[in-house]
Amino acid sequence: MEFLGNFTLVCDRSDQLAQLTEQFYLELTQFSDWQTPPKIILAEREPVRFLAGFLAAVSAKCPIFLCNPNWAKQEWEQVFDLVQPDIIWGTSYKELVIDNNKTNYQLPITNYPPIMVPTGGSSGKIKFAVHTWETLTASVRGFTEYFQLEKVNSFCVLPLYHVSGLMQFLRCFTTGGKLVISAFKKLADYQLNQLEAGEFFISLVPTQLQSLLQNSDLTTWLSQFQTVLLGGAPAWDEILEKARYYQIRLALTYGMTETASQIAALKPDDFINGKVNSGQILPHAKVLICNDKGDILNTNQTGNITIQAESLALGYYPLAANHQPPVPTFSTDDIGFIDNKGYLNIVGRNSDKIITGGENVYPPEIESAIKATAMVSDVCVVGIPDQYWGQAVTAIYVPKNLDYSIAEIQNLLKDKLSKFKLPKHWIPVEKLPRNSQGKINRQQLQEIALYHIR
């Protein structure tokens, strides 16, 4: 199909993309007599079929819901109950009954069909952020302008149904670039010399970066990339220091599904030169730091992060029946500040804040200090109910060596943290519960902490 333009896809069966897209598109034309376009669930495991389905649905102006094919039956029941799809591509849960007598939520009429991108997951209720081609391509424009690119080439190891994988495709597709897709688990077997890595971006989550840094060949390969975008979850000092040692051109990023990926990024040269923050704001976005009353704060003042961006989602599905074009503002749960050079610094999250003895404590600061002792390989700090303190700061950690004592770690922390920030409970575990993006399941950690401290 001619609409593919100069875009190049490199993966198994990539030569079938045009044919499959046309096949899916023709399937959708059967519904031309419907009063409203059919709603499509897209959960194809195979990348070419996923991209073909996505392009066909957008071309046919059909609402499309991107779904994780690995969701469990209970999650699929939740999604089907919410979406009531007309067409299902890819999922193995076709046997679930769809009650089409339920309310069939309407979507706003725009120049382009709505594209629903999942957010949330196993630790909470699945939601869909409602995007359009316009919001997604606004993110692409901001990205290319910020990094001064005319064409984007990307090596994708992240799932395409997730905003981090989808946006890699859209950057390459809309700029006529090259997209190489590989399963992360197969990277060790990939013919690394086939790729001119210096012409490519690659996006990783911290756990993936940590894994690659444990393989010398993959570490060398990673250091050849033009830029290594890192996001999805906070990165810890140990892997950042190791990446800098190997001159890996990291771009630490800040963004979310609702903003169609990053709205701030630290450029690689800044990272190599020692900076560790979320970088400067991309041109399609604006970040405001506000107090609890909504007043805008000044430079270097810490407060709630509010985002204005052309790439903001319209809301969550289903949108209100009397939906009006949204004010392009999104209030996040994140706490941070913008320094006098325009760099965004994330301090923590309101929902993760611990109030102990009347003092506010943000876990990332404590976690960073604990990791800097080099005595733990992973750690997460949570607050648990305490009759005296209100909440007790609790560290759940993976020890590097069983010979290390808590007293040794605490002794190293005394000069780095105020006394009220020092963990009152320490719980060793074999590993922390993380999802595929590297995000901690804090609800599960709370349960672990309460179990051990009873």
Side-chain angles (χ1 to χ4, degrees):
M1 298 178 74
E2 293 183 2
F3 71 87
L4 293 177
N6 294 323
F7 168 67
T8 303
L9 179 65
V10 180
C11 65
D12 291 341
R13 301 178 64 201
S14 58
D15 59 324
Q16 298 179 24
L17 178 61
Q19 178 185 346
L20 283 171
T21 303
E22 187 167 359
Q23 177 183 321
F24 282 130
Y25 181 80
L26 290 173
E27 181 178 331
L28 295 178
T29 60
Q30 300 174 26
F31 299 90
S32 58
D33 58 339
W34 283 39
Q35 290 183 343
T36 58
K39 289 181 293 184
I40 301 169
I41 274 184
L42 178 60
E44 291 283 359
R45 294 179 182 277
E46 203 277 315
V48 176
R49 291 184 64 85
F50 180 96
L51 294 177
F54 177 82
L55 290 170
V58 172
S59 299
K61 298 190 175 181
C62 295
I64 185 167
F65 294 78
L66 308 186
C67 294
N68 178 355
N70 297 313
W71 281 334
K73 184 174 182 179
Q74 184 176 352
E75 291 166 313
W76 277 117
E77 288 175 339
Q78 180 191 140
V79 169
F80 282 19
D81 186 56
L82 173 66
V83 175
Q84 295 298 297
D86 300 301
I87 298 175
I88 304 164
W89 282 338
T91 176
S92 60
Y93 283 102
K94 293 180 181 179
E95 71 272 14
L96 292 178
V97 175
I98 303 172
D99 182 2
N100 284 308
N101 292 320
K102 291 191 176 182
T103 301
N104 199 347
Y105 297 115
Q106 297 299 307
L107 287 156
I109 297 174
T110 63
N111 292 332
Y112 295 99
I115 299 165
M116 272 58 71
V117 186
T119 181
S122 59
S123 61
K125 192 172 182 180
I126 296 169
K127 298 189 294 185
F128 289 95
V130 181
H131 278 285
T132 67
W133 190 263
E134 295 152 311
T135 63
L136 298 179
T137 54
S139 174
V140 174
R141 288 194 301 273
F143 182 91
T144 54
E145 185 177 339
Y146 185 74
F147 285 103
Q148 299 181 329
L149 303 166
E150 292 185 3
K151 180 173 69 174
V152 181
N153 299 321
S154 191
F155 191 98
C156 183
V157 294
L158 294 172
L160 293 169
Y161 64 81
H162 191 275
V163 69
S164 56
L166 178 68
M167 292 311 302
Q168 289 184 71
F169 161 68
L170 286 172
R171 290 173 200 140
C172 300
F173 180 76
T174 58
T175 64
K178 180 182 289 187
L179 178 67
V180 179
I181 299 177
S182 172
F184 182 76
K185 293 180 179 179
K186 295 183 179 180
L187 273 185
D189 300 324
Y190 191 83
Q191 297 298 316
L192 305 180
N193 57 1
Q194 292 182 0
L195 184 78
E196 293 291 339
E199 300 175 0
F200 280 76
F201 280 70
I202 185 171
S203 294
L204 301 172
V205 297
T207 51
Q208 289 176 327
L209 175 61
Q210 181 184 42
S211 175
L212 296 181
L213 289 173
Q214 293 170 355
N215 181 314
S216 58
D217 290 338
L218 292 175
T219 299
T220 300
W221 176 69
L222 199 60
S223 68
Q224 298 170 9
F225 274 84
Q226 177 181 349
T227 303
V228 179
L229 300 168
L230 188 68
W236 45 98
D237 292 343
E238 182 181 3
I239 61 170
L240 295 180
E241 291 170 4
K242 193 170 182 179
R244 188 177 290 114
Y245 174 81
Y246 287 107
Q247 294 290 290
I248 293 171
R249 296 179 55 76
L250 285 189
L252 308 182
T253 66
Y254 174 76
M256 55 209 71
T257 303
E258 291 83 353
T259 62
S261 73
Q262 59 262 47
I263 50 91
L266 183 70
K267 290 185 176 177
D269 287 343
D270 282 339
F271 172 76
I272 295 295
N273 290 328
K275 287 188 180 296
V276 180
N277 54 47
S278 295
Q280 295 175 307
I281 312 304
L282 273 61
H284 71 290
K286 183 178 181 181
V287 170
L288 305 175
I289 308 297
C290 304
N291 61 21
D292 292 338
K293 297 179 180 179
D295 301 322
I296 298 174
L297 301 178
N298 296 323
T299 299
N300 290 320
Q301 289 185 300
T302 299
N304 303 308
I305 294 176
T306 297
I307 299 168
Q308 297 176 349
E310 299 170 28
S311 62
L312 276 181
L314 305 184
Y316 298 105
Y317 182 84
L319 299 170
N322 58 351
H323 174 75
Q324 298 294 323
V327 177
T329 298
F330 179 68
S331 298
T332 75
D333 190 39
D334 297 315
I335 304 295
F337 66 92
I338 296 177
D339 63 28
N340 53 15
K341 292 189 176 179
Y343 290 89
L344 177 63
N345 296 262
I346 307 299
V347 175
R349 293 177 65 84
N350 259 326
S351 58
D352 298 334
K353 179 174 65 178
I354 301 168
I355 303 177
T356 180
E359 299 281 0
N360 291 341
V361 174
Y362 292 99
E365 178 188 6
I366 304 171
E367 292 163 357
S368 178
I370 294 172
K371 288 170 182 173
T373 67
M375 292 185 175
V376 306
S377 56
D378 206 356
V379 64
C380 183
V381 170
V382 298
I384 62 169
D386 185 274
Q387 289 185 340
Y388 183 77
W389 296 103
Q391 284 182 294
V393 179
T394 303
I396 303 173
Y397 69 103
V398 180
K400 274 192 175 179
N401 190 321
L402 294 178
D403 293 334
Y404 292 145
S405 69
I406 298 301
E408 289 179 287
I409 300 177
Q410 290 175 318
N411 188 53
L412 292 174
L413 295 175
K414 286 181 180 178
D415 295 332
K416 297 181 179 180
L417 297 173
S418 301
K419 190 174 182 180
F420 68 87
K421 296 179 181 178
L422 293 172
K424 294 178 174 59
H425 303 290
W426 293 80
I427 301 172
V429 294
E430 291 185 3
K431 66 177 182 178
L432 298 184
R434 295 180 181 270
N435 66 13
S436 60
Q437 300 301 306
K439 292 183 179 179
I440 290 284
N441 186 329
R442 289 184 174 271
Q443 181 180 347
Q444 190 173 341
L445 283 180
Q446 289 279 354
E447 295 170 358
I448 291 172
L450 290 172
Y451 175 81
H452 280 80
I453 296 169
R454 279 175 188 161

